[in-house]
Amino acid sequence: MKLYKRICSFTIEGRKLTYPPMTLEFESEFSANGISTAKAKIMNPAHETVNKCQKVGNKFPQIIIDAGYEYDHGTCVIGEIIKWELKKGSPDWSLELTIADKSSLWTSAIVNKSWRSFITARQAATELLSEFGITAVEMVFGEEKSYPNGLAFSGVSLRSALERIARDTRSSFSFVNGQAKFYTQQAGTATAIVLRYDSGLLEATKTEKGYKIKTLFMHKIMGNSIVQLQFDNQMTNLKVIKGKHVFSPESASTEFEAKRL
């Protein structure tokens, strides 16, 4: 794993901000029941950015947060900005955001996209998600699938399109905690995220049902993720119950509770 050179981006109503060079921070909570919340901060934002954060009529502005490292990053938050506040100081000032999980807004978005020649299911799913600025946290198919004569979606929801691909690849699709994933029930611990000191593990403390764990920032970890803890000369398979991602230019980490499988 190449866990160095941190990067982050906020896309607010189509306006993309990136770190570096901007100073972006956020903290997002996740859980096994799919409910997630987030707080974010933008230092010294332009007036255009502040304007993008304002509610228009009954519509809250949409935001996608992508974070991680140069060679390993992905979508961490998909939601609506339900509150914003400017805090002015000298010389710096900040824009603080409260974000509600609204993954459903993206899954109900209408897709009109077609490929007239050979395309694989993996390529099609990646392109569909990327049109909305989303990265799949996991893409494990029961079998690979290709469409020699192309593939077309017309006036269907993003979820319907992705579920079609899931059926064609003998897999399942879910969209929770602001993250999209394809998976198979048979994959089990074969696709577990391996945690040890040389792969990002920082701390692991035993609990009655499992462990409390702290790692370097890992965007792929979310509610219901399967992790394999290699610690204290033992290998333990765990399921994530709840946790949080914390990101800033100074430090970035992921903390969570997990129970034994």
Side-chain angles (χ1 to χ4, degrees):
M1 299 179 71
K2 298 180 179 180
L3 304 181
Y4 56 86
K5 195 174 181 181
R6 288 192 295 271
I7 61 173
C8 180
S9 68
F10 293 0
T11 302
I12 304 171
E13 288 293 316
R15 182 178 178 84
K16 188 172 184 178
L17 314 173
T18 61
Y19 162 78
M22 295 193 67
T23 298
L24 306 176
E25 302 176 11
F26 76 92
E27 179 175 315
S28 63
E29 297 182 354
F30 52 84
S31 67
N33 63 16
I35 298 172
S36 62
T37 59
K39 299 276 190 180
K41 181 187 291 186
I42 304 167
M43 296 301 298
N44 301 315
H47 292 297
E48 292 83 357
T49 299
V50 177
N51 290 337
K52 287 285 187 181
C53 295
Q54 299 186 46
K55 183 179 178 182
V56 178
N58 293 322
K59 183 179 179 295
F60 289 103
Q62 299 176 357
I63 181 171
I64 297 176
I65 297 178
D66 182 287
Y69 305 87
E70 184 176 22
Y71 298 103
D72 184 13
H73 62 91
T75 307
C76 301
V77 176
I78 295 178
E80 290 181 329
I81 299 170
I82 59 173
K83 181 181 177 181
W84 62 273
E85 182 180 2
L86 274 176
K87 292 191 174 180
K88 296 187 177 181
S90 179
D92 297 317
W93 56 302
S94 65
L95 174 61
E96 299 188 2
L97 311 175
T98 300
I99 302 164
D101 181 8
K102 291 292 180 179
S103 302
S104 59
L105 293 175
W106 275 259
T107 58
S108 61
I110 299 302
V111 172
N112 289 289
K113 188 171 180 64
S114 62
W115 299 265
R116 296 183 179 180
S117 57
F118 179 90
I119 187 80
T120 67
R122 189 173 297 275
Q123 291 170 329
T126 299
E127 289 186 28
L128 283 170
L129 287 166
S130 66
E131 286 207 353
F132 294 88
I134 301 166
T135 303
V137 68
E138 185 176 305
M139 199 174 286
V140 178
F141 294 147
E143 64 180 38
E144 295 294 332
K145 168 75 175 178
S146 61
Y147 305 92
N149 299 315
L151 178 65
F153 297 105
S154 178
V156 301
S157 69
L158 177 60
R159 177 179 289 280
S160 295
L162 295 171
E163 287 179 344
R164 154 77 189 279
I165 292 174
R167 289 193 300 272
D168 290 349
T169 57
R170 298 183 183 275
S171 59
S172 299
F173 173 78
S174 69
F175 210 152
V176 295
N177 291 318
Q179 296 178 322
K181 64 183 290 188
F182 288 89
Y183 61 96
T184 63
Q185 297 299 330
Q186 293 74 24
T189 57
T191 58
I193 300 168
V194 177
L195 299 178
R196 53 179 184 262
Y197 285 126
D198 64 354
S199 68
L201 177 66
L202 297 176
E203 301 172 10
T205 305
K206 268 189 177 180
T207 64
E208 185 178 340
K209 296 182 179 180
Y211 282 85
K212 284 186 176 181
I213 297 172
K214 182 176 182 179
T215 70
L216 295 177
F217 188 92
M218 293 188 180
H219 74 275
K220 291 182 179 179
I221 293 177
M222 61 181 181
N224 288 319
S225 288
I226 305 300
V227 300
Q228 186 179 89
L229 179 63
Q230 297 181 11
F231 172 76
D232 245 3
N233 297 317
Q234 294 182 3
M235 186 172 68
T236 308
N237 292 317
L238 304 160
K239 187 174 187 177
V240 176
I241 304 304
K242 62 179 180 179
K244 65 179 179 179
H245 296 302
V246 180
F247 185 99
S248 75
E250 289 74 32
S251 65
S253 63
T254 298
E255 299 179 36
F256 58 94
E257 296 179 23
K259 67 178 182 180
R260 295 181 185 85
L261 290 177

